[in-house]
Amino acid sequence: MKIIVMKLLNRLILFFTLTLIIVSCQQKKESSTAEKPQRPNILFMMSDDHAYQAISAYSDHLIQTPQIDRLAKEGLKFTNACVTNSICAPSRAVILTGKHSHLNGKIDNRLPFDTTNVTFPQILQNEGYQTAMFGKLHFGNNPKGFDEFKILPGQGTYYNPDFITKNEGKIRIEGYTTDIITEMTLDWLEDERDAEKPFLLMYLHKAPHREWLPAPRYYKEYTKKTFVEPETLFDDYKGRGTAAKTAEMNLLKHMNWAGDSKIYPELMDELGIPETANWDKNAFEREVGRMNPVQRAEWDKVYGPINEEFKKNYANMNEKELMQWRYQRYMQDYLGCIAAVDEGVGRVLDYLDRSGLSENTIVVYTSDQGFYLGEHGWFDKRFIYDESFKTPLLVRWPNVITPGTTNTQMVQNLDFAQTFLTAAGITPPSDMQGESLIPLFKGETENFRDAVYYHYYEYPAVHMVKRHYGIVTEDYKLAHFYYDIDEWGLYDRKKDVHEMTNVYDDPAYAEVVIKLKNQLADLRVKYKDSEELDQMYIDQVAK
Ligand code: SGN
Ligand code: CA
């Protein structure tokens, strides 16, 4: 009897031990896959001032961008993506921190970024991502959280650019900046990428930022093209209040002749054309003057005859013709820049395909904000109005995003940080203010936000766009211009797509105004913005 009990006990012990071993093996297996799930790579491609009007996936009336369009075909196109503050460095700060400008402190291009902010690349790096950044950052200091970076100092230049690098100090590279940034990105993918780790790679073009210098291989083609004029090229800004009227972004009145339209400084003197701004000729020298003799000869070969032609016609051109000429010149150079960006994007996408990385890489193409391509007679950005407020956004993520889909939700650059962290399986810090876009990637659009908050600060400054904050919903846009004025603007987005009429004082909209003002006040509370902060940022600049 004792022996039977012993045997039974032994068997039971054996059974439990075996079960324990099997269970713990299974757990181990699970936990090791949990430790090492297939975390996606992130390739974040962003250009500077690339208007959605100049991407053929959005509209092909100006240019074909077949490479960028691949992302729309193979991924998701957002048609209502927008920024929180339409200007370069602030937009980048919002992207990296996932916080509005008033909280991350980078309200305008002037003061350096506060590097005590926590950015999503820092978090990804801590969690085992390999991180690299190439191109334009524009922060006034170096990025944190990157294993490798090569960034342009400030705005950078189009030719023979300098780079601030993590490992080689300051370097200068001969050539065309867009191509150089592409090469750096490709070199890193080929030679530096650690196959054991997922990566975050930020590929950040300077182009097509002012002064719009195209790649030599596109000079001829683009300077011969004629582009369709926007309906509002001759806008007189009536019916919109002070801010639109006093902004200095008009193609005819505020564009530089030498720097922007590429009229030789000598020819300006000869024709008696005064500088638009006192740095007009300097802007030309800063860029064109930087070319080496070979580059300069190639440039003169194409831009010389344009100057000759202008010299012949100038005396007989009226204001309307001058405006039209400047618009064409502007588009030729701006779109010529984009041609090289598109090519670069294609080369990087080809590399992902060739190396089998496409499958597990989230690829984003966006711009730091939108841009005016002659709409309202303008260039530049800054305003809450659509062309500057909206930004292109294309995302490809195989197996998550259905190819060729479109999303109309109001997503913002504020959302990137949380989106990327969530995609990497990391819980975003609770003080980030965006929303993860992953449900939208999967086609789940219910209960996404119904309004966004906007706040622009850089005034008084170049282009003189007054400070304003506002709310944008699917149907309306309400903005408050403040500092040296106190004006409100309301636009009916459905009825007035070009935003030509401020209906704020129209009695038919009285109820809409009340409702939106309440919603705006709620948004300011939700995002922790306030009159105290408005004043603090006014005082900061005054110092
Ligand atoms: C420069 C440009 C402006 C532009 C700002 C900000 N002038 O000052 O036209 O608005 O940068 O651009 S330039 O002739 O010097 O290029 S941003 O993209 O950095 O915000
Ligand atoms: Ca920009």
Side-chain angles (χ1 to χ4, degrees), residues 88 109 138 155 209-211 286 380-382 463:
C88 187
N109 275 340
H138 199 198
Q155 295 283 12
H209 189 269
R210 202 181 183 188
E211 278 74 21
R286 199 173 60 207
D380 214 69
K381 54 260 178 176
R382 297 157 195 271
H463 301 300

Side-chain angles (χ1 to χ4, degrees), residues 186 190 346-358:
L186 287 169
E190 272 167 30
R347 290 177 64 194
V348 176
L349 293 180
D350 285 347
Y351 179 84
L352 294 189
D353 285 348
R354 267 201 319 277
S355 57
L357 285 168
S358 292

